[in-house]
Amino acid sequence: MDLLEVTGLAKAYAGVMCLDDVSLRGRAGSVHAVTGENGAGKSTLMKIIGGVVRPDKGSIRLRGAEVHFASPLDALRGGVSTVFQEFSLIENLTVAESLFLGHEPSTWYGALDRGRMLRAARRVLDEVGLDLDPRRFIASLTVAEQQMVEIARGVSANADVFVFDEPTAALGAEDVVKLTRLIRDLQAAGRLIFYISHRLDEIFDLCDTVTVLKDGRLVDTRPVAGLDHDRLVAMMVGRNLEDYFPGAGTATSQPALRVTDLHRRNCSSPVSLAVNKGEIVGLAGLEGQGQREILRALAGAEPCAGVTMETFAADGGVRRHDPARGVAAQVADGIVFIPEDRKKEGLYLSLAVDENMALGLYQQRGLGAVARSHGARVTEMMRMLRIKATSAAQPVGKLSGGNQQKVMLGRWLISDARVLLIEEPTRGVDVGAKAEIYAILRQFVAQDGGAILVMSREMNELIGLCDRILVIRDGRIVAGFAAREASEESILHAAIADAPREPERRAS
Amino acid sequence: MAIVSVLKGALRGQARSRRGAQGLAFLLLVIVALFLSVVSERFTSVANLSNLLIQMAPLLLVALGQTVVVLAGGLDVSVGAVVGLATAIVASALPPEIAVPLALLAAAAVGAVNGVLAGPLRLHPIVATLSTASIVTGIALTLRPTPGGNVPDFLIASANERILGLPLAVVWSAGGLALAWWILSRTRLGLHILSLGGSTPNARLNGIAVQRRLIAAYVLCAVFAAAGGLLLAGRISSGDAMAGLPLTVSSLAAVALGGTQLTGGIGGVLGTLTGSLLLAMLANGMNLMNVSPFLQSILNGVLLLIAISFTRRRQFGL
Amino acid sequence: MAMTETAPCVRHRHLRIAGLVQLCPPSIWLIAGLVAVSLALAPTLLSPGFQWVILRQAAPLGFAICAQLLLMRCNSIDLSLGGVFLLTNYLTTSSLLSQMNPVLVVAVPLLAGMLIGAVNGFFIAIQRASSVVVTLAMGTILTGMVLYLSSGNPPGSAHSAVVWLGRDRVAGVPVAVMVWLGAMIVLALALRGLVYGRMVRAIGANPTAALISGLPVVRTFFVSHVLAGLFAATGGLLQAGYIGMGSVRLGFDVVMVSIAGAILGGVTFGGGRRSILGAVAAAYALIFLINLMTTLRFAEPSKLIVQGLVIALAALFPNLSSRNRD
């Protein structure tokens, strides 16, 4: 018997359909993947089921009875718990307060029962296998811990249907193991789990059924057992996995960037690395091992206690750079940084595409300089990067994730950057645009000897995109592979071997 | 050096909590108190200290309300106007048993308007409360064009008299402080207000009735301000539409000095108490030393500048 | 695909109506309303003579609004404008400068304004303190300072050079109006054509991204505050010249009215379009409004109420179309 049945759901935003006549059935005891390119409507579908968004048309039946959720809290009371992709945690609350926000235990006269809340929080954290003091503030947790609290919050509810919206995006390998175990437990208890993900491996490992959406419409729902990677990708995009990554092999043996003894604050071990001309080097590792900090320190976006950083021009001239002088100085030297969270840290969503791109040029001039429009260069760059926008004057906030990422790249390509430092080059980007972005990056290094240092949580992305992969553990480089010889297993092995913090085993 | 860095940490509120950087105000309070007790022997007299507490009471009540709104991520620059309105209403010809509740109700209405403008209608809180401040002052001036009127005796008594040596104003202050503390840390509304200040969109995702809570915060603030107004009316024994206006600035100063972050979510009532005490002590001390009131306002400004240059934020601007 | 072809039409029609209303900043609509009311109730206000007076009175306010606008667009605010007005008034009317050369009489207050802006800028841009608190404190300090220096009594009368700026006409046009409009044209061109303008827009749109991508955030903030100080001082100077004598109560309303004016001009915190034109219109509209109310014998309290309503309505104006986006 179907636990949840969704019929004919439709939702339009400002006149644009983003979900059209989608129907779906979920069994109790099933882990049901929902996948598709970004913008396919999977998040909207789950937001409707989770009560965040109300549908324009269609109905949801839970245990055979039609339901209308007015809010996530309402959905929770009705038996649907959602773990959001964007964090719904609030930094100034404690873990315990976060777990019960919106449905706090109260005393007989209506006040907050802090004692009961704390005890209940301890119990929930214990169930999830999370060793945290519930009185700690969210702001003091790592990203992975925050995501685990988010998951604990969702799981602690006594719900029948659980929705996980890309839960592993911020998790390291050990927490993924915990999450997997949690999902298995829920499944064994006869719950229905919707699992939204682009990550094919996870779908094959974890799920029994998969629903594919494309352009807001249902493609198909099938058992995972009858599918393989290529067939699933074909359902999503109608293209094969092979033409996903561009060819490598543009690397030369001349150095482009050399970093010697990077000392970061509060970190004893210095890091040295080099990137050759035409080369893309990837930083791999478990969550929170210092990859992100190394990249940001080189970009000047985070404090750096001392480093010798040199770049080599085409004619062999050496230039020294000091990241401690800040981002602006590094940008002026052609060393640019592309952050992971482009909406928050990268783009000016209310400004036009052309203005976002031209800022890279403007910022290298004085405040009193005349700002030329650079219309022709921007148009040329938009054409080259195949940015899909109604015009150069369209606000960036209206573009899809992939096109936004291209605008970010375009801003630095147009200002003749020499070295790109990229955090998660394709987060929240759909499969089609991913391939285009990979090609752009490869073309950048191939053309006139640029260099790219990239960090990604997705190991297959690093393997496909990079020439060389450096594995970071505990703030140090512990291994280096040529990408074509690397496998996910070998990287993971290097990333956790002799790891000081073995994932804790708990009897559950 | 270690001591310096520990001290800096304490001043900047790096302790992992949401109480904010209260260290500085406390430190300044101690220094000012020590200085004044050395310079003026009258400062430490019981009469003067209780005077100080009496003088502080209206400011404290207004600042406590301001704390609630600031913690919710808002800002209320209409508190001074509301104080003026409250004094104008209680000094009117109405009998006190009607005038006092009416003053509180009128304030609640102003707070509700502020909340609706800043919440559902999405105006910037400074803009929203600036416009109501203007309107409320206009109304208060219509009610009482010039200072005067008759303030009920019990308000005059509660602002000036003592029971067993304890000024009644202190009882008001303590009551207000306890109430504000209880609301913020022991009720669901308080937790929701803090979560609003932390992140309004996320609070909404968690099913908090964001707009209603924000309106409630502004209503609380205005009611606290009105209570401060009642006490002020008692102290000056008259209604004065303009009497409260300086309290807008000083309530913000007390909140900021107390380490509450103006972006919301971080801070608390104890910091506000320290901030208010500090401001009251400075005024009191300078009066004792016959410092020109104009110099006092210069000093208050300088102090505020020093205080905030210790709190380093990530954010620029507002 | 069929569905996406029909749906946008609905959206467009809605956007067209809202867009038409929002084509102009709210100040333009306010002027239209004021002209209509004047035609009906006080047609003398529309005579050229009266209009020149309104424009001349609007010049000081126009500078204050402009100062506020620059800051609001990069997510800051200046609550010390009133203090700067007061200080420039004091400087130009006290005996301090009365014996000096006219250039100095004008230059010293302007420099003082820039200095105050620089101090604000230091705390706000470099120390990253909250601009609300910094400028509130600065306003308190300046007011206290002027009151202390003048012992609460108005100083003498304004220097003749300042009076010329504030009151005289050249070729029939008041000098103050020429200074004002000239400065606004320069500022509008600068915001449109210089890198500075782009930085203000970008920082207003996303301050975090501005920091991470290495835009000169600190410098832009600092420059904006210094410029705001300069504009405020210019406004104060014109005001002092217009009144012709010292005053210690002047400038209390300047902060309020400047924020109202910036909002009327179509500025929001962190954004705004056609804002200089809007700000000029806003200064004119606000002074027009005050004169209209005086002509119609509004009492002081009623003026305050109308002023508050105007701020609230103007601020609600940009939300007209964006409301159903939420």
Side-chain angles (χ1 to χ4, degrees):
Chain A
M1 144 110 196
D2 293 328
L3 183 56
L4 185 93
E5 184 180 359
V6 165
T7 345
L9 279 192
K11 176 74 189 174
Y13 283 109
V16 179
M17 296 298 268
C18 64
L19 209 57
D20 189 17
D21 192 24
V22 170
S23 302
L24 189 69
R25 289 150 172 257
R27 280 178 293 109
S30 160
V31 183
H32 191 136
V34 177
T35 189
E37 292 188 315
N38 260 57
K42 49 191 195 304
S43 281
T44 309
L45 174 61
M46 289 302 135
K47 278 182 181 161
I48 291 173
I49 293 176
V52 182
V53 171
R54 254 151 289 175
D56 296 340
K57 255 188 274 176
S59 67
I60 305 172
R61 290 171 166 275
L62 189 63
R63 289 178 230 93
E66 186 157 345
V67 287
H68 300 275
F69 298 134
S71 71
L73 195 62
D74 198 21
L76 196 62
R77 291 196 185 113
V80 177
S81 169
T82 309
V83 174
F84 295 103
Q85 176 185 15
E86 283 103 23
F87 289 134
S88 67
L89 297 179
I90 299 172
E91 290 208 323
N92 62 333
L93 301 191
T94 65
V95 172
E97 287 166 350
S98 306
L99 288 174
F100 296 100
L101 187 61
H103 51 106
E104 307 88 355
S106 53
T107 57
W108 58 270
Y109 54 94
L112 200 58
D113 192 340
R114 289 196 168 267
R116 194 140 65 91
M117 195 159 84
L118 208 60
R119 285 193 298 277
R122 289 217 170 87
R123 210 173 48 236
V124 169
L125 291 175
D126 208 42
E127 274 170 26
V128 177
L130 197 56
D131 187 19
L132 272 184
D133 183 345
R135 286 167 302 187
R136 273 177 72 186
F137 285 89
I138 297 295
S140 70
L141 305 182
T142 66
V143 177
E145 281 170 335
Q146 289 182 9
Q147 177 73 69
M148 287 305 283
V149 170
E150 189 96 39
I151 288 166
R153 210 183 119 80
V155 172
S156 70
N158 187 21
D160 295 324
V161 180
F162 291 86
V163 177
F164 291 89
D165 193 354
E166 310 220 17
T168 56
L171 289 188
E174 26 189 327
D175 288 322
V176 172
V177 172
K178 280 184 196 162
L179 175 65
T180 311
R181 203 166 53 223
L182 274 173
I183 290 179
R184 290 277 174 244
D185 287 350
L186 290 174
Q187 184 182 20
R191 310 297 164 82
L192 164 62
I193 298 104
F194 282 113
Y195 192 91
I196 306 177
S197 181
H198 298 111
R199 299 187 182 190
L200 303 186
D201 295 342
E202 288 177 358
I203 295 174
F204 284 101
D205 288 349
L206 205 57
C207 306
D208 48 52
T209 316
V210 58
T211 292
V212 180
L213 298 178
K214 184 173 162 63
D215 295 336
R217 289 162 180 274
L218 182 71
V219 175
D220 205 354
T221 298
R222 284 201 211 166
V224 170
L227 291 170
D228 60 24
H229 270 71
D230 289 351
R231 300 241 310 267
L232 186 53
V233 171
M235 280 170 74
M236 287 161 69
V237 287
R239 88 153 86 192
N240 278 328
L241 206 56
E242 281 90 79
D243 35 72
Y244 202 77
F245 293 109
T250 56
T252 65
S253 56
Q254 301 157 294
L257 166 74
R258 188 157 62 205
V259 176
T260 319
D261 290 340
L262 168 68
H263 291 273
R264 291 179 293 117
R265 294 255 167 88
N266 311 323
C267 179
S268 53
S269 43
V271 171
S272 301
L273 57 89
V275 184
N276 287 340
K277 284 178 183 155
E279 196 179 36
I280 302 179
V281 173
L283 298 179
L286 300 182
E287 179 69 22
Q289 296 295 307
Q291 310 89 302
R292 184 184 149 93
E293 287 74 17
I294 291 173
L295 211 61
R296 287 191 172 229
L298 291 178
E302 251 177 39
C304 152
V307 64
T308 311
M309 187 172 181
E310 297 156 314
T311 55
F312 301 85
D315 56 9
V318 184
R319 287 188 65 187
R320 297 196 52 174
H321 313 277
D322 183 7
R325 288 185 306 151
V327 188
Q330 293 292 80
V331 170
D333 288 355
I335 300 166
V336 303
F337 172 61
I338 297 178
E340 167 180 359
D341 189 343
R342 60 182 163 264
K343 286 188 181 164
K344 221 160 138 191
E345 301 188 331
L347 291 169
Y348 307 89
L349 295 179
S350 59
L351 301 188
V353 173
D354 54 358
E355 198 159 350
N356 266 283
M357 282 171 61
L359 273 172
L361 290 165
Y362 296 145
Q363 75 183 87
Q364 306 190 22
R365 325 241 351 237
L367 287 181
V370 174
R372 293 194 294 123
S373 81
H374 299 294
R377 286 176 75 180
V378 168
T379 320
E380 168 65 18
M381 187 55 75
M382 284 177 70
R383 199 184 53 74
M384 216 181 86
L385 300 180
R386 286 196 245 158
I387 293 172
K388 291 187 201 81
T390 53
S391 78
Q394 194 181 17
V396 163
K398 302 249 189 255
L399 304 185
S400 72
N403 283 306
Q404 289 183 349
Q405 189 71 9
K406 288 184 196 170
V407 172
M408 291 269 296
L409 282 167
R411 179 193 298 160
W412 301 125
L413 296 186
I414 211 173
S415 57
D416 293 323
R418 309 287 310 151
V419 176
L420 302 186
L421 306 168
I422 310 176
E423 234 174 50
E424 301 290 340
T426 60
R427 181 180 149 189
V429 169
D430 63 65
V431 179
K434 265 186 187 179
E436 287 179 1
I437 287 170
Y438 295 142
I440 293 165
L441 295 181
R442 180 50 69 183
Q443 197 192 349
F444 169 80
V445 293
Q447 242 164 20
D448 31 39
I452 295 180
L453 192 58
V454 56
M455 174 217 130
S456 174
R457 292 189 188 92
E458 297 187 38
M459 289 182 226
N460 58 358
E461 173 170 274
L462 289 177
I463 294 170
L465 172 69
C466 301
D467 297 289
R468 210 145 47 81
I469 295 171
L470 304 173
V471 182
I472 313 285
R473 192 175 69 224
D474 231 9
R476 274 175 307 183
I477 298 174
V478 292
F481 301 98
R484 70 188 116 76
E485 288 158 17
S487 64
E488 292 195 33
E489 288 74 33
S490 63
I491 295 175
L492 205 59
H493 186 70
I496 55 180
D498 314 314
R501 285 178 294 147
E502 192 72 42
E504 288 175 30
R505 296 245 158 246
R506 277 168 182 275
S508 57
Chain B
M1 281 323 283
I3 299 170
V4 172
S5 72
V6 167
L7 205 60
K8 267 189 180 168
L11 292 182
R12 289 185 180 168
Q14 280 162 351
R16 297 202 182 282
S17 79
R18 59 170 169 236
R19 259 169 303 168
Q22 298 176 356
L24 179 76
F26 196 73
L27 196 70
L28 281 173
L29 192 67
V30 173
I31 293 173
V32 171
L34 283 177
F35 175 77
L36 288 175
S37 53
V38 170
V39 179
S40 161
E41 58 227 39
R42 265 166 59 210
F43 175 74
T44 42
S45 72
V46 175
N48 183 59
L49 287 180
S50 69
N51 251 339
L52 189 159
L53 292 177
I54 292 172
Q55 284 163 1
M56 178 189 73
L59 168 65
L60 178 67
L61 288 176
V62 177
L64 286 172
Q66 188 73 266
T67 312
V68 173
V69 161
V70 168
L71 282 176
L75 198 69
D76 192 344
V77 297
S78 70
V79 284
V82 170
V83 168
L85 180 67
T87 66
I89 291 177
V90 289
S92 64
L94 292 170
E97 61 273 21
I98 296 177
V100 170
L102 186 66
L104 296 174
L105 269 178
V110 174
V113 172
N114 281 336
V116 169
L117 287 175
L121 292 175
R122 296 190 298 167
L123 292 197
H124 192 283
I126 294 180
V127 175
T129 55
L130 206 57
S131 68
T132 48
S134 185
I135 296 169
V136 169
T137 306
I139 293 171
L141 275 175
T142 314
L143 290 177
R144 180 144 296 289
T146 52
N150 292 314
V151 176
D153 288 338
F154 79 93
L155 283 179
I156 297 178
S158 63
N160 299 306
E161 284 179 15
R162 290 152 217 253
I163 287 184
L164 307 172
L166 188 70
L168 274 173
V170 173
V171 179
W172 280 62
S173 303
L177 194 71
L179 182 65
W181 177 83
W182 185 75
I183 290 173
L184 283 173
S185 60
R186 285 292 179 271
T187 66
R188 300 183 59 198
L189 172 65
L191 182 59
H192 294 176
I193 284 175
L194 285 166
S195 71
L196 278 188
S199 165
T200 305
N202 286 356
R204 183 179 291 122
L205 267 185
N206 282 296
I208 308 288
V210 171
Q211 312 289 20
R212 286 221 301 273
R213 296 316 197 191
L214 190 68
I215 294 171
Y218 277 99
V219 169
L220 272 175
C221 173
V223 171
F224 267 101
L230 296 182
L231 210 50
L232 185 68
R235 206 176 78 201
I236 59 178
S237 306
S238 66
D240 181 352
M242 314 290 271
L245 296 184
L247 284 175
T248 301
V249 175
S250 37
S251 71
L252 272 174
V255 170
L257 278 171
T260 296
Q261 273 182 23
L262 291 176
T263 43
I266 305 278
V269 293
L270 283 180
T272 302
L273 172 66
T274 322
S276 309
L277 256 178
L278 180 59
L279 289 177
M281 194 182 284
L282 279 169
N284 174 280
M286 285 189 281
N287 280 338
L288 287 181
M289 293 161 66
N290 289 322
V291 177
S292 142
F294 304 137
L295 260 189
Q296 286 184 29
S297 74
I298 299 181
L299 205 80
N300 278 347
V302 171
L303 192 76
L304 200 53
L305 279 184
I306 296 172
I308 48 167
S309 51
F310 274 96
T311 49
R312 205 170 165 79
R313 316 178 301 163
R314 260 177 288 170
Q315 184 204 4
F316 273 93
L318 298 170
Chain C
M1 279 281 83
M3 82 248 171
T4 47
E5 273 159 25
T6 52
C9 293
V10 182
R11 185 170 50 141
H12 277 219
R13 196 177 318 138
H14 173 76
L15 280 182
R16 210 175 300 146
I17 298 166
L20 201 66
V21 178
Q22 293 190 341
L23 201 63
C24 310
S27 49
I28 305 283
W29 298 110
L30 178 59
I31 292 176
L34 289 170
V35 168
V37 174
S38 314
L39 272 177
L41 300 176
T44 44
L45 275 180
L46 296 171
S47 69
F50 232 123
Q51 288 294 312
W52 278 126
V53 172
I54 290 177
L55 271 174
R56 189 168 56 187
Q57 287 178 352
L61 179 60
F63 274 102
I65 292 175
C66 232
Q68 204 63 270
L69 162 155
L70 272 183
L71 297 175
M72 284 174 67
R73 284 188 55 171
C74 49
N75 267 319
S76 192
I77 198 166
D78 192 341
L79 305 177
S80 67
L81 290 180
V84 177
F85 262 60
L86 210 54
L87 181 74
T88 34
N89 180 277
Y90 175 77
L91 285 176
T92 49
T93 54
S94 71
S95 51
L96 237 64
L97 296 172
S98 56
Q99 308 304 325
M100 286 191 197
N101 143 354
V103 177
L104 275 182
V105 174
V106 173
V108 170
L110 296 188
L111 284 174
M114 289 172 78
L115 183 71
I116 292 161
V119 174
N120 282 337
F122 168 78
F123 282 105
I124 293 160
I126 295 165
Q127 296 286 329
R128 296 203 195 178
S130 156
S131 54
V132 175
V133 187
V134 170
T135 57
L136 215 51
M138 183 54 88
T140 318
I141 294 172
L142 291 175
T143 315
M145 204 156 84
V146 169
L147 289 173
Y148 181 67
L149 289 175
S150 60
S151 324
N153 302 313
S157 53
H159 191 280
S160 58
V162 177
V163 173
W164 179 79
L165 276 177
R167 276 196 198 157
D168 274 12
R169 291 168 181 242
V170 170
V173 182
V175 179
V177 175
M178 285 196 274
V179 173
W180 175 36
L181 296 182
M184 292 307 105
I185 290 169
V186 171
L187 182 66
L189 289 177
L191 278 179
R192 192 170 264 264
L194 298 186
V195 168
Y196 169 70
R198 305 298 166 119
M199 293 305 155
V200 168
R201 278 169 68 90
I203 291 168
N206 187 349
T208 317
L211 277 176
I212 299 258
S213 57
L215 299 191
V217 179
V218 174
R219 230 180 314 152
T220 309
F221 258 90
F222 190 78
V223 168
S224 297
H225 274 281
V226 172
L227 282 179
L230 174 65
F231 285 140
T234 316
L237 205 64
L238 295 181
Q239 180 88 310
Y242 181 71
I243 301 174
M245 60 176 81
S247 157
V248 288
R249 294 201 56 83
L250 173 95
F252 284 124
D253 283 344
V254 172
V255 174
M256 276 271 265
V257 183
S258 69
I259 295 174
I263 292 163
L264 272 173
V267 174
T268 55
F269 280 100
R273 285 166 170 273
R274 287 191 203 83
S275 45
I276 300 290
L277 173 70
V280 171
Y284 170 77
L286 283 169
I287 298 292
F288 198 156
L289 178 67
I290 290 170
N291 277 294
L292 181 63
M293 287 195 293
T294 310
T295 314
L296 298 179
R297 295 177 198 288
F298 274 50
E300 202 53 39
S302 329
K303 284 187 184 172
L304 280 174
I305 294 173
V306 172
Q307 175 183 294
L309 287 174
V310 167
I311 301 178
L313 291 176
L316 286 172
F317 191 83
N319 293 3
L320 282 179
S321 74
S322 48
R323 273 198 56 72
N324 36 355
R325 221 185 286 148
D326 198 33

